[in-house]
Amino acid sequence: MQNVQEYLSKNKDRFIEELIELLKIPSISADSAFSQDVIDTAEAIKSALERAGCDTVEICETNGYPIVYGEKIINSNLPTVLVYGHYDVQPPDPMDLWNSPPFEPEIRKTETHPEGAIYARGACDDKGQMYMHVKAFEFMVKTQQLPCNVKFMIEGEEEVGSKNLGEFVALNKEKLANDVILISDTGMIANDIPSITTGLRGLSYVEVEVTGPNRDLHSGLYGGAVANPNNILAKMIASLHDENNHITIPGFYDKVEELSKEERNQMAEAPFSLERYKKALDINDVHGEEGYLTNERNAIRPTLDVNGMWGGYTGEGAKTVIPSKAFAKISMRLVPNQDWQEITELFQKHFESIAPKSVTVKVKPHHGGQGYVTPIDTVAYQAASKAYETTFGKTPIPQRSGGSIPIVSLFERELESKTILMGFGLDSDAIHSPNEHFGVWNYLKGIETIPYFYQYFTEMSSS
Amino acid sequence: MQNVQEYLSKNKDRFIEELIELLKIPSISADSAFSQDVIDTAEAIKSALERAGCDTVEICETNGYPIVYGEKIINSNLPTVLVYGHYDVQPPDPMDLWNSPPFEPEIRKTETHPEGAIYARGACDDKGQMYMHVKAFEFMVKTQQLPCNVKFMIEGEEEVGSKNLGEFVALNKEKLANDVILISDTGMIANDIPSITTGLRGLSYVEVEVTGPNRDLHSGLYGGAVANPNNILAKMIASLHDENNHITIPGFYDKVEELSKEERNQMAEAPFSLERYKKALDINDVHGEEGYLTNERNAIRPTLDVNGMWGGYTGEGAKTVIPSKAFAKISMRLVPNQDWQEITELFQKHFESIAPKSVTVKVKPHHGGQGYVTPIDTVAYQAASKAYETTFGKTPIPQRSGGSIPIVSLFERELESKTILMGFGLDSDAIHSPNEHFGVWNYLKGIETIPYFYQYFTEMSSS
């Protein structure tokens, strides 16, 4: 690749400006109040791909939010890279914890990001990382250096479980045919420690509803005599972990892949400071499954977290009420070999079985996806590794991530191709949290590195 | 008392109209957004007392909402009845469960209330029951039958713990001097089974905050490795009851008064159908402390209920987050001899002690009050009993209530007089719940019965 640096320094202000414009649209897929914004974002992606040099771009309707598809086919004998990303974002709340409005992007310098970071919901997950690919593609096209065919598939429902992507992929295998799928929706260890994500956790997300009396009751007149859904829900949730923080759902661990001593030792070599970790989160102690290290607990072990919980009076002051209902949103992160549908059923069966006779329980599965592990001996992985070496001057570390990108295993099944996860964000970028941000350096480094992947992947594939 | 019936039938439409006007003002003391409405309600009570025949009425400022004081002293040698009530109401939420807007009163007929019930927040608790006294007083004055002196003390902070009433009473012992305190802020067993409340539970209301990481975290990247405040709070709440639904706070039961076999047998004689109770609440089973009957669990035993609980994402759809904080509002109903301040301290000490090192916990006491038991051998109780006999044709049953009117024990301490609790509402009136209502029959029956209490109390006191 020639003149990457030159092109970058000439265009970086524009690259940042374009991303900032994209970040101003509140494309929150989980909240129907923002549906028009989500659709507007799809339109913005379409024109961005056209400007960048795609030959054809279309907005593909689904039963939910549309999928933007674009391509540039230069030679059917050359390999084809399919870039996947998403243009929807997580809800921004709690709003009051943001230092600047989530949809009014602001660049601020930090210790980790001396060259500045863009603060906005979606800055890193995934608008920023997705847009790196659009700009890297623009560079290759404008400088006549595009070495292979490219296809873009950018969806708008990743944050709500990619509800309609599966059907779209199944119906468009021909159109989506590729030699490798390239995704930037994960992170790396540090700006001076590049890493490639080789494992992802699966996910099962459910919502539970506990109903007691048919109406809210006065806690004085009824307290002590009637089941309080808040107390019952708390007891039921509490019982889902034992004293060693093992999950108590029967059969939950049956298919969990146990890593070998060697693999665990290898993982332990990744640089990690528990002290810095605790300091960054301002906690006195970590908390997790007995017998595993922090880096294992959040990567190779399944979890059960209550993401939301509510019941009764949550307003100002005091209200002496026994609520009729209490609710919780519960997600389980799964490891390879755990089937998310099977786990969802196990959860449902177990949760219903532990409900006392004094309440009724409803379990509503939200969505889910399988875990995934990429082999590191493939051409694609080697090409990615070499690309990082070229731009970072270091061999990237293969790393298991605790996050989930359910569609990766879907792609492998439907399109029979492997996925490479080239993430340029950091764990400290606060994705899904208030003050999400993405380092300007990381954004530009991504745009610089991606073209080398195209080059090496094309070269290595032909040889 | 002469012509009570006649006066009632002549004025009942106006009595209902006046109450409906009062119910239209949203005097929600727990929510500062309604402070002007609370103050407007105090003004409305003032003019109501003036119109009814008080010689002097004043709005007494406090550090919170004002207390309306009115009096009619006809002869210092005659006994004095002090009427206490409150003009503030509970918050109406959840709004969506109301069949008619909480502050747009509507009269609807029901099985229990064939003559119609007034649906509105505060209809029974306590605007409706308080206003019975104003109208009963009006009757006695207008028909020249007032047999003794009357004082009214109507406050606006009962639903938030009567924060400023204690100081007011302590500073105005002279002004408030009386021979008996009369309150209608409780219920009776049924329209054909009159009862007088002889026991009340105390209350300790606290709010707890559990803090984990310093910001919301992505449940994929951190899940399994960091304490989730939702899960931790659930575990802590669950641990507050053992498998027999005994409260586990050390020392909690130390001072609990155990009733004798006789007393419990006497209680068991009060008509009660467990089947009807479960049917009314639409529950398959009751739930409470091992070894006690439903009627005991909600009257003579202390409780711990989570009135509100919240943390993380509670909006539409799914958000994979580990929240930084989780909260709960917890109230404990106490029985005579349990000191609410001591119990609050025991709770705080215990709750902090069970917090794992991975989180920090804050316990904020909201308010509280002592329990109370009225003797049934007093002149006041006998007078009340005879009044019910006169208008219901039946001797009322002495009954322990699970509710709390913290100021009753305060009155006894500061004013050295006993309180009579003449309640005309029903447990099914849904106070503190959506669709709170008050039977028109009950409202008028109260206005009819109260004057007889004045008559008999005055006669019995002089003899």
Side-chain angles (χ1 to χ4, degrees), chain A residues 140-168:
Chain A
M140 292 184 281
V141 173
K142 302 289 191 248
T143 59
Q144 286 81 37
Q145 296 185 83
L146 183 64
C148 62
N149 307 308
V150 188
K151 295 174 177 178
F152 288 92
M153 175 171 59
I154 315 298
E155 75 155 316
E157 297 186 310
E158 198 273 345
E159 300 295 3
V160 290
S162 302
K163 295 195 204 77
N164 298 287
L165 189 68
E167 189 187 10
F168 177 79

mmCIF file of all heavy atoms in Angstrom, chain A residues 140-168:
data_model
loop_
_atom_site.group_PDB
_atom_site.id
_atom_site.type_symbol
_atom_site.label_atom_id
_atom_site.label_comp_id
_atom_site.label_asym_id
_atom_site.label_seq_id
_atom_site.Cartn_x
_atom_site.Cartn_y
_atom_site.Cartn_z
ATOM 1 N N MET A 140 -8.341 3.011 -0.628
ATOM 2 C CA MET A 140 -7.877 2.040 -1.631
ATOM 3 C C MET A 140 -8.452 2.347 -3.005
ATOM 4 O O MET A 140 -7.775 2.236 -4.021
ATOM 5 C CB MET A 140 -8.231 0.620 -1.189
ATOM 6 C CG MET A 140 -7.459 0.155 0.034
ATOM 7 S SD MET A 140 -7.814 -1.566 0.482
ATOM 8 C CE MET A 140 -9.375 -1.367 1.321
ATOM 9 N N VAL A 141 -9.707 2.782 -3.023
ATOM 10 C CA VAL A 141 -10.348 3.086 -4.312
ATOM 11 C C VAL A 141 -9.727 4.332 -4.927
ATOM 12 O O VAL A 141 -9.246 4.328 -6.058
ATOM 13 C CB VAL A 141 -11.867 3.263 -4.149
ATOM 14 C CG1 VAL A 141 -12.498 3.752 -5.454
ATOM 15 C CG2 VAL A 141 -12.516 1.951 -3.694
ATOM 16 N N LYS A 142 -9.679 5.399 -4.156
ATOM 17 C CA LYS A 142 -9.202 6.697 -4.675
ATOM 18 C C LYS A 142 -7.741 6.635 -5.111
ATOM 19 O O LYS A 142 -7.303 7.375 -5.989
ATOM 20 C CB LYS A 142 -9.379 7.798 -3.629
ATOM 21 C CG LYS A 142 -10.823 7.990 -3.155
ATOM 22 C CD LYS A 142 -11.717 8.622 -4.213
ATOM 23 C CE LYS A 142 -13.060 9.043 -3.610
ATOM 24 N NZ LYS A 142 -14.200 8.262 -4.095
ATOM 25 N N THR A 143 -6.970 5.719 -4.486
ATOM 26 C CA THR A 143 -5.557 5.626 -4.859
ATOM 27 C C THR A 143 -5.309 4.409 -5.760
ATOM 28 O O THR A 143 -4.175 3.928 -5.883
ATOM 29 C CB THR A 143 -4.664 5.504 -3.595
ATOM 30 O OG1 THR A 143 -5.069 4.342 -2.874
ATOM 31 C CG2 THR A 143 -4.801 6.733 -2.712
ATOM 32 N N GLN A 144 -6.401 3.910 -6.357
ATOM 33 C CA GLN A 144 -6.293 2.758 -7.269
ATOM 34 C C GLN A 144 -5.470 1.606 -6.663
ATOM 35 O O GLN A 144 -4.617 1.014 -7.319
ATOM 36 C CB GLN A 144 -5.657 3.164 -8.613
ATOM 37 C CG GLN A 144 -6.565 3.954 -9.531
ATOM 38 C CD GLN A 144 -6.607 5.432 -9.148
ATOM 39 O OE1 GLN A 144 -5.593 6.000 -8.738
ATOM 40 N NE2 GLN A 144 -7.789 6.034 -9.242
ATOM 41 N N GLN A 145 -5.697 1.318 -5.404
ATOM 42 C CA GLN A 145 -4.923 0.229 -4.788
ATOM 43 C C GLN A 145 -5.817 -0.879 -4.235
ATOM 44 O O GLN A 145 -5.344 -1.737 -3.502
ATOM 45 C CB GLN A 145 -4.057 0.793 -3.657
ATOM 46 C CG GLN A 145 -2.995 1.766 -4.115
ATOM 47 C CD GLN A 145 -2.096 2.181 -2.951
ATOM 48 O OE1 GLN A 145 -1.140 1.466 -2.611
ATOM 49 N NE2 GLN A 145 -2.418 3.287 -2.318
ATOM 50 N N LEU A 146 -7.106 -0.843 -4.564
ATOM 51 C CA LEU A 146 -7.996 -1.897 -4.057
ATOM 52 C C LEU A 146 -7.564 -3.231 -4.667
ATOM 53 O O LEU A 146 -7.641 -3.413 -5.877
ATOM 54 C CB LEU A 146 -9.450 -1.591 -4.423
ATOM 55 C CG LEU A 146 -10.491 -2.590 -3.890
ATOM 56 C CD1 LEU A 146 -10.534 -2.583 -2.363
ATOM 57 C CD2 LEU A 146 -11.882 -2.257 -4.462
ATOM 58 N N PRO A 147 -7.088 -4.196 -3.846
ATOM 59 C CA PRO A 147 -6.496 -5.423 -4.398
ATOM 60 C C PRO A 147 -7.512 -6.537 -4.629
ATOM 61 O O PRO A 147 -7.166 -7.566 -5.236
ATOM 62 C CB PRO A 147 -5.494 -5.827 -3.318
ATOM 63 C CG PRO A 147 -6.114 -5.355 -2.051
ATOM 64 C CD PRO A 147 -6.894 -4.115 -2.377
ATOM 65 N N CYS A 148 -8.735 -6.395 -4.156
ATOM 66 C CA CYS A 148 -9.701 -7.495 -4.256
ATOM 67 C C CYS A 148 -11.122 -6.944 -4.238
ATOM 68 O O CYS A 148 -11.321 -5.733 -4.213
ATOM 69 C CB CYS A 148 -9.493 -8.476 -3.094
ATOM 70 S SG CYS A 148 -9.770 -7.700 -1.500
ATOM 71 N N ASN A 149 -12.081 -7.865 -4.268
ATOM 72 C CA ASN A 149 -13.487 -7.451 -4.236
ATOM 73 C C ASN A 149 -13.925 -7.167 -2.798
ATOM 74 O O ASN A 149 -13.403 -7.785 -1.856
ATOM 75 C CB ASN A 149 -14.362 -8.547 -4.837
ATOM 76 C CG ASN A 149 -13.872 -8.943 -6.219
ATOM 77 O OD1 ASN A 149 -13.682 -8.087 -7.082
ATOM 78 N ND2 ASN A 149 -13.613 -10.240 -6.407
ATOM 79 N N VAL A 150 -14.862 -6.241 -2.665
ATOM 80 C CA VAL A 150 -15.353 -5.884 -1.331
ATOM 81 C C VAL A 150 -16.878 -5.874 -1.306
ATOM 82 O O VAL A 150 -17.520 -5.444 -2.267
ATOM 83 C CB VAL A 150 -14.861 -4.478 -0.916
ATOM 84 C CG1 VAL A 150 -15.208 -4.222 0.548
ATOM 85 C CG2 VAL A 150 -13.381 -4.323 -1.148
ATOM 86 N N LYS A 151 -17.433 -6.394 -0.220
ATOM 87 C CA LYS A 151 -18.874 -6.302 0.011
ATOM 88 C C LYS A 151 -19.087 -5.750 1.412
ATOM 89 O O LYS A 151 -18.359 -6.120 2.346
ATOM 90 C CB LYS A 151 -19.517 -7.688 -0.131
ATOM 91 C CG LYS A 151 -19.427 -8.261 -1.533
ATOM 92 C CD LYS A 151 -19.950 -9.682 -1.583
ATOM 93 C CE LYS A 151 -19.925 -10.230 -3.025
ATOM 94 N NZ LYS A 151 -20.389 -11.644 -3.072
ATOM 95 N N PHE A 152 -20.045 -4.841 1.558
ATOM 96 C CA PHE A 152 -20.386 -4.296 2.872
ATOM 97 C C PHE A 152 -21.796 -4.745 3.257
ATOM 98 O O PHE A 152 -22.714 -4.685 2.446
ATOM 99 C CB PHE A 152 -20.368 -2.762 2.850
ATOM 100 C CG PHE A 152 -18.991 -2.165 2.766
ATOM 101 C CD1 PHE A 152 -18.427 -1.858 1.531
ATOM 102 C CD2 PHE A 152 -18.267 -1.902 3.924
ATOM 103 C CE1 PHE A 152 -17.165 -1.293 1.452
ATOM 104 C CE2 PHE A 152 -16.996 -1.329 3.846
ATOM 105 C CZ PHE A 152 -16.446 -1.036 2.606
ATOM 106 N N MET A 153 -21.948 -5.210 4.495
ATOM 107 C CA MET A 153 -23.272 -5.532 5.026
ATOM 108 C C MET A 153 -23.360 -4.863 6.406
ATOM 109 O O MET A 153 -22.775 -5.338 7.378
ATOM 110 C CB MET A 153 -23.466 -7.043 5.145
ATOM 111 C CG MET A 153 -24.776 -7.425 5.815
ATOM 112 S SD MET A 153 -25.104 -9.212 5.727
ATOM 113 C CE MET A 153 -23.654 -9.832 6.562
ATOM 114 N N ILE A 154 -24.072 -3.717 6.436
ATOM 115 C CA ILE A 154 -24.149 -2.940 7.677
ATOM 116 C C ILE A 154 -25.591 -2.973 8.174
ATOM 117 O O ILE A 154 -26.492 -2.477 7.515
ATOM 118 C CB ILE A 154 -23.722 -1.468 7.418
ATOM 119 C CG1 ILE A 154 -22.449 -1.396 6.567
ATOM 120 C CG2 ILE A 154 -23.566 -0.729 8.746
ATOM 121 C CD1 ILE A 154 -21.233 -2.037 7.210
ATOM 122 N N GLU A 155 -25.800 -3.578 9.360
ATOM 123 C CA GLU A 155 -27.172 -3.761 9.835
ATOM 124 C C GLU A 155 -27.544 -2.749 10.922
ATOM 125 O O GLU A 155 -26.692 -2.024 11.439
ATOM 126 C CB GLU A 155 -27.360 -5.190 10.353
ATOM 127 C CG GLU A 155 -26.723 -5.433 11.711
ATOM 128 C CD GLU A 155 -27.392 -6.565 12.477
ATOM 129 O OE1 GLU A 155 -28.654 -6.623 12.494
ATOM 130 O OE2 GLU A 155 -26.663 -7.388 13.064
ATOM 131 N N GLY A 156 -28.823 -2.732 11.268
ATOM 132 C CA GLY A 156 -29.326 -1.773 12.257
ATOM 133 C C GLY A 156 -30.016 -2.410 13.448
ATOM 134 O O GLY A 156 -30.785 -1.761 14.157
ATOM 135 N N GLU A 157 -29.722 -3.702 13.681
ATOM 136 C CA GLU A 157 -30.393 -4.383 14.804
ATOM 137 C C GLU A 157 -29.413 -5.197 15.664
ATOM 138 O O GLU A 157 -29.830 -6.096 16.395
ATOM 139 C CB GLU A 157 -31.499 -5.306 14.272
ATOM 140 C CG GLU A 157 -32.615 -4.571 13.534
ATOM 141 C CD GLU A 157 -33.760 -5.498 13.150
ATOM 142 O OE1 GLU A 157 -33.482 -6.568 12.551
ATOM 143 O OE2 GLU A 157 -34.909 -5.153 13.453
ATOM 144 N N GLU A 158 -28.127 -4.860 15.596
ATOM 145 C CA GLU A 158 -27.155 -5.663 16.354
ATOM 146 C C GLU A 158 -27.402 -5.536 17.857
ATOM 147 O O GLU A 158 -27.322 -6.522 18.589
ATOM 148 C CB GLU A 158 -25.722 -5.229 16.013
ATOM 149 C CG GLU A 158 -24.657 -6.263 16.398
ATOM 150 C CD GLU A 158 -24.155 -6.128 17.831
ATOM 151 O OE1 GLU A 158 -24.399 -5.082 18.476
ATOM 152 O OE2 GLU A 158 -23.518 -7.084 18.325
ATOM 153 N N GLU A 159 -27.756 -4.336 18.287
ATOM 154 C CA GLU A 159 -27.927 -4.111 19.741
ATOM 155 C C GLU A 159 -29.232 -4.700 20.274
ATOM 156 O O GLU A 159 -29.491 -4.658 21.482
ATOM 157 C CB GLU A 159 -27.844 -2.609 20.060
ATOM 158 C CG GLU A 159 -26.512 -1.949 19.683
ATOM 159 C CD GLU A 159 -25.319 -2.468 20.487
ATOM 160 O OE1 GLU A 159 -25.483 -3.393 21.308
ATOM 161 O OE2 GLU A 159 -24.207 -1.940 20.279
ATOM 162 N N VAL A 160 -30.074 -5.190 19.374
ATOM 163 C CA VAL A 160 -31.300 -5.868 19.828
ATOM 164 C C VAL A 160 -31.339 -7.303 19.322
ATOM 165 O O VAL A 160 -32.400 -7.899 19.152
ATOM 166 C CB VAL A 160 -32.580 -5.113 19.387
ATOM 167 C CG1 VAL A 160 -32.713 -3.813 20.156
ATOM 168 C CG2 VAL A 160 -32.577 -4.855 17.886
ATOM 169 N N GLY A 161 -30.163 -7.867 19.051
ATOM 170 C CA GLY A 161 -30.087 -9.290 18.767
ATOM 171 C C GLY A 161 -30.158 -9.675 17.301
ATOM 172 O O GLY A 161 -30.419 -10.823 16.971
ATOM 173 N N SER A 162 -29.907 -8.705 16.392
ATOM 174 C CA SER A 162 -29.861 -9.026 14.953
ATOM 175 C C SER A 162 -31.042 -9.895 14.531
ATOM 176 O O SER A 162 -30.881 -10.878 13.809
ATOM 177 C CB SER A 162 -28.534 -9.740 14.631
ATOM 178 O OG SER A 162 -27.451 -8.937 14.992
ATOM 179 N N LYS A 163 -32.217 -9.496 14.984
ATOM 180 C CA LYS A 163 -33.439 -10.303 14.786
ATOM 181 C C LYS A 163 -33.632 -10.791 13.353
ATOM 182 O O LYS A 163 -34.043 -11.906 13.112
ATOM 183 C CB LYS A 163 -34.676 -9.486 15.170
ATOM 184 C CG LYS A 163 -34.769 -9.102 16.631
ATOM 185 C CD LYS A 163 -36.198 -8.630 16.948
ATOM 186 C CE LYS A 163 -36.218 -7.713 18.158
ATOM 187 N NZ LYS A 163 -35.749 -6.335 17.850
ATOM 188 N N ASN A 164 -33.367 -9.909 12.391
ATOM 189 C CA ASN A 164 -33.738 -10.241 11.007
ATOM 190 C C ASN A 164 -32.555 -10.542 10.100
ATOM 191 O O ASN A 164 -32.721 -10.803 8.910
ATOM 192 C CB ASN A 164 -34.560 -9.091 10.417
ATOM 193 C CG ASN A 164 -35.855 -8.892 11.184
ATOM 194 O OD1 ASN A 164 -36.777 -9.690 11.067
ATOM 195 N ND2 ASN A 164 -35.898 -7.858 12.023
ATOM 196 N N LEU A 165 -31.344 -10.513 10.682
ATOM 197 C CA LEU A 165 -30.151 -10.731 9.859
ATOM 198 C C LEU A 165 -30.065 -12.178 9.372
ATOM 199 O O LEU A 165 -29.706 -12.450 8.225
ATOM 200 C CB LEU A 165 -28.890 -10.367 10.648
ATOM 201 C CG LEU A 165 -27.592 -10.349 9.842
ATOM 202 C CD1 LEU A 165 -27.600 -9.203 8.844
ATOM 203 C CD2 LEU A 165 -26.390 -10.232 10.769
ATOM 204 N N GLY A 166 -30.454 -13.108 10.267
ATOM 205 C CA GLY A 166 -30.362 -14.518 9.915
ATOM 206 C C GLY A 166 -31.131 -14.834 8.640
ATOM 207 O O GLY A 166 -30.593 -15.439 7.712
ATOM 208 N N GLU A 167 -32.356 -14.363 8.585
ATOM 209 C CA GLU A 167 -33.180 -14.623 7.407
ATOM 210 C C GLU A 167 -32.557 -13.963 6.166
ATOM 211 O O GLU A 167 -32.457 -14.567 5.099
ATOM 212 C CB GLU A 167 -34.597 -14.083 7.628
ATOM 213 C CG GLU A 167 -35.574 -14.494 6.540
ATOM 214 C CD GLU A 167 -36.917 -13.804 6.692
ATOM 215 O OE1 GLU A 167 -37.017 -12.867 7.516
ATOM 216 O OE2 GLU A 167 -37.853 -14.185 5.975
ATOM 217 N N PHE A 168 -32.091 -12.731 6.328
ATOM 218 C CA PHE A 168 -31.482 -12.005 5.206
ATOM 219 C C PHE A 168 -30.288 -12.774 4.644
ATOM 220 O O PHE A 168 -30.170 -12.972 3.432
ATOM 221 C CB PHE A 168 -31.039 -10.609 5.655
ATOM 222 C CG PHE A 168 -30.334 -9.819 4.585
ATOM 223 C CD1 PHE A 168 -31.054 -9.178 3.586
ATOM 224 C CD2 PHE A 168 -28.944 -9.718 4.580
ATOM 225 C CE1 PHE A 168 -30.405 -8.449 2.602
ATOM 226 C CE2 PHE A 168 -28.291 -8.990 3.598
ATOM 227 C CZ PHE A 168 -29.033 -8.362 2.603
#
